[in-house]
Structure formats: structure tokens, C-alpha cells
Amino acid sequence: MSTSFLRRILGFLRNTWRGLTSMRTALVLLFLLALAALPGALLPQWSLNESNVRDFADEYPRLAGFLDDIGAFNVFSSVWFSAIYVLLFVSLIGCLLPRSTQYLRQLRARPVRTPSNLSRLPHHAEGTVPLPPDEMLAVTRRKLRHWRSEERTEQDGTRTVSAERGYLREAGNLVFHFALVGLLVTVAGGQLTRYEGQVVVQADGSGFCNSGTYNYDSFRAGPTVDGTSLGEFCLRVDDFDVDYLHTGQAVDYHAEVRYQSGEDLDDGTWRQHSLKVNNPLRTAGDRVYLTGNGYTPVFTVTFPDGQQRTKRTQWKPVDGTTMLSQGATKFDRPDMPDEQRRHRNQLAVTGLFAPTPELDGKVLSSRFPALNDPMVAVDVLKGKLGYATGKSQSIFSVNQELIDSGDLNRVARENLSVGESISLDDGTTVRFDGVQRWVNLQVSHNPFQPYVLVFAVAVIIGLGASLSIKRRRIWVRITPGGSAGSGEAASTSAVEIGGLARTDQAGYGEEFTRLSGELLAGGTGSTSSAAGEENSRGRSS
């Protein structure tokens, strides 16, 4: 490999690194990251709501196919989003390291010397003060005590003061950018170590333990979580209640729960907690949220031989306003050892549940979400439910293909109030016994969440400091005896003041006017007519 070729490669890498770590590139990548996140906010995501993605695909099949190919339904796990994320992280680190070094050098540096011609600065004032130079220097020192200042004596005896203020502006800027990097790191760490599970629990004292992923109805986790080391706790839901307005709008949800974690698991202690939408349970490093609720119709099937089976399977609300629900409660024939025969004699009770029924002929609907003489409209299906196929099934419905093929047949249809029953031709009866409440709980674990909050607050503080603090300088030249070589008494001093805003000048004109007026008044706080005049150019600035 020739030396010139190697130099070109090194030059290309150096220029690429400089371009990547420039602030302009970081801003462009930050804009691209926000732009890339838009599909994740506007489109349903596989990881959050699979059913909404499927509904979108049914409505717009060609568009959905294209969007799925480019990862628009899985934005935050896509390669292109991760690439922007990583590039932004590298760019910010490359920008901040040299700027931090430069800022540390600035903190250690002394304020610059007083310019020889202060009248050329944007802010300027001068006058004669009836104080000797030493006293005027003390006045200046007192007025600028909150400024970082440096005093110098020139060869002709002139005393100068250089002062600067607003160093925290750059510190706020660095805090903002480092906090932004910390935010990126903690969000990424949270995605790697988080897990989130959904579980439906009957509000009748039933519960679950966070001992494995098999206890959840759905479970999502980061790549470092294998489900074997979840936070250890158990929970029971004793009661659930909802308060409604007369319009049917829910105003309050609350579930009374008991839980165990830590040492309570060993000694059997149960602790009480009122679980509400904005009052999650925090235990064992996890958070338990109340995210949904519904009704569970209770059915009892009495088979021809007199055996009974009672089942409580939650039904899914199809109308959140009236809580009209649909579902399927499935039964196996008891004491039937022949597996083939048992599979041909399975039962499913499907249909609609109305907490406050409203009938249009025999068509059932609901007009209010609370329980007021509840009713179900059911179809009783008999035949194969498809368990033997090994395919997963929804608990809220039966396989329509089995109905279409004739393996599952409707043998009865009826509207039932609590206590009423249907009798089938073979002597089997299906009774509607009543209804219970169920709640949907979400268990979330993200050990980086507190750090995300800390860095988010730091981002706001750093941004506020960088926008509100102004970097400005002021110089004061004190010449003994009125002016250099004037021969006036040493009991007076000629004072010349110059000011410069290093960043945004907004507001510094008023501050300079106040300071220069107080200095030219000899520190008394009011400017005398003999104190001199302020340059109108500086005042207008």
C-alpha cells in the first residue's frame, strides 16, 4: 500500500470524523431523529397494539405492506432508527469532549486586558469623579463584586479593571448536551432491560404471582431479559368498582388489592393498596398499573348425566361507552375418556353481554355501562373447538373456519337474564348465573426510569441556563488627576467605561447604563451632572 494512498484514507477518515462531530451535524441528526419518530407516533406499532396494525392492514392492504417492509410499524426497533440514534450519540460525544476542554480552559483563564480605545466598544461612558484613584478603585471593586474581575496597573499609573460575567451560559449549554447524551443512554438502557406484561385478573380475590412469563396474557421484554429473574411479588384483586356520571362517563376506577413482596413472601403478610389509574402499585422494582376492566358472565352447564361445570371467562368490551361486550365461554364434556369423542362434543357459549340491556325486538344492545338487570344474547355451539390442532386460539371467540366446515354447529340461540337457562336436545342445559368484574393489569419494569427523569430535568435546566444567562464584559479605566497629564489635583479621577455583550446583546444596554451611572456617580447610586456623559451610541445598543 503506497504512502499517498494511506494518506488519502487517513485524510478521508479525519474529514469524516470532523464532519460527524460538528455541531451542525448533531443538529441535523437530532432533527432526523425527531422526524424518524413521527411514524411511531402516528402509526400503530406491532409491539404496542397488534390488533390496530392488523386493522390498518385490512383497510389499506397495499400501503400497509409497503410500510411494514420499511419498518414503519416497528419504528423504534428498526435498523434505520437505530442508525440515526447511534450516529447522534457519537456526534454529540465528539462535539462535547473538545468543547468541555475548551470551557475548562476558559474557566482558568484571566479576563482579557482592557482595550486601549474603549470608545470603540458598543457600550461606552466616561466622566470625572471627585474621588482619588484608590477610592474609585474600591468603589469599582465593590460594584463589580459579583463579576469575575482582574485589576491591572499600567505604566503611567492608570488603574484598570477587567470584569466578565455569564460563564454559566456555556456551562448550561454543556449541561444541556451532556444531559441529552445521558437521556439517550438511559432510554437505550431502559429498552434493553425493560419488561412489560399484561394480565387479566378476576376481581373476586383471584390473583397472580410475578414468577414467570407464563403467568401473563402477553409479555414484551428487552433483549437482555429472559424472564427468569423478574421482580418477585404476588397480588390479589379483592374488589373493583367504577363511578359513573348519568351520561355513562366513568369518573373513577379503583381496585382494592393485596400484595406481597420481599420478606412478606416468607411470612405470609398481605398489604393493602387502592389501585387507581393514576395511583400505581410500586413494589419489588416493578410498577403495577390499572389499564382496563370488563365483565365476566358466569355460565353453568349441566350435562345429561347430571354433572355440572361452571366457568368464568372474561368477555371483551366492544363499546367502551356502554360496556357492551362479546366473548366465548368454552366447555369440555366431563368423564369422556375417548379423546376423539370428547372433542366432537365440546360446547361454546358465545354472544353479547349487556350490563344495562336494551332490546330492539330480539336484538340486544346496552344503553349504560353499569350493572342494571344484565342480560346476554348467546349462541350455543357444539362440536370441535379445535384444541387438538395445537393452534393458538382467542379466548374471546371461536374459530370461524370450524363453523364454516361444519365441525362446530349452532344448536341454540336465546336471550337470557340472570338465572335463566337454555335446554338442548340432548338434555344439556346452559344457565346464566350472573356476572363478575375483571381488571386488566400492566406490570412494567424499567430500572433506568429514575435516571431518565434526572436527565430530562437536567436538559430543561441546562437549556434554561443557556438561553437566559448572557455573557458580557465590562472594562473600567481610572486615570488619576482628571486625565493623564492634565495637571489637575489627584483628588479626582477620570473614569472611562466600556462594555461588550459576547453573545446576545438584549438587555445588556440597561445593565451597562445602570452600572456606568453608579460608577460615574462615585458609587452613590445617582449620577451627578459633573459625573460626565454617556456615549449615546452605547445607550441605544
Side-chain angles (χ1 to χ4, degrees), residues 54-132:
R54 297 190 185 280
D55 292 342
F56 186 91
D58 292 339
E59 189 171 358
Y60 308 102
R62 297 185 63 181
L63 178 61
F66 170 74
L67 293 175
D68 195 29
D69 290 339
I70 64 174
F73 296 129
N74 201 18
V75 169
F76 304 108
S77 300
S78 63
V79 175
W80 47 270
F81 188 87
S82 301
I84 298 175
Y85 197 95
V86 172
L87 286 175
L88 176 60
F89 179 79
V90 173
S91 181
L92 285 174
I93 292 294
C95 290
L96 291 176
L97 291 180
R99 291 187 64 187
S100 301
T101 305
Q102 182 181 6
Y103 179 62
L104 291 176
R105 286 199 299 264
Q106 290 177 357
L107 285 178
R108 298 176 59 185
R110 301 167 61 187
V112 298
R113 299 181 65 89
T114 302
S116 59
N117 190 354
L118 293 178
S119 62
R120 300 180 61 181
L121 295 176
H123 302 279
H124 176 252
E126 59 183 4
T128 302
V129 179
L131 292 175

Side-chain angles (χ1 to χ4, degrees), residues 1 14 40 69 83 112 150 176 181 193 290 305 310 368 403 427 452:
M1 182 180 296
R14 182 174 58 252
D69 290 339
V112 298
E150 182 77 17
F176 167 74
V181 172
T193 59
L290 177 63
D305 59 1
T310 300
F368 197 76
I403 298 176
V452 172

Side-chain angles (χ1 to χ4, degrees), residues 44 55 90 108 161 274 342 346 419 428 458 468 478:
D55 292 342
V90 173
R108 298 176 59 185
V161 179
S274 184
R342 185 174 69 250
Q346 293 169 326
T428 302
S468 60
I478 304 171

Side-chain angles (χ1 to χ4, degrees), residues 16 22 36 52 78 108 123 139 142 153 171 177 230 248 266 269 278 297 307 376 384 470 475 486 508 515 517 527 530:
T16 301
S22 68
N52 285 354
S78 63
R108 298 176 59 185
H123 302 279
V139 169
R142 186 172 66 252
T153 302
H177 287 92
L230 306 182
D266 299 326
T269 302
N278 294 319
Q307 296 192 70
V376 291
K384 294 182 179 180
K470 301 174 180 63
W475 293 275
S486 63
Y508 186 47
L515 279 173
T527 307

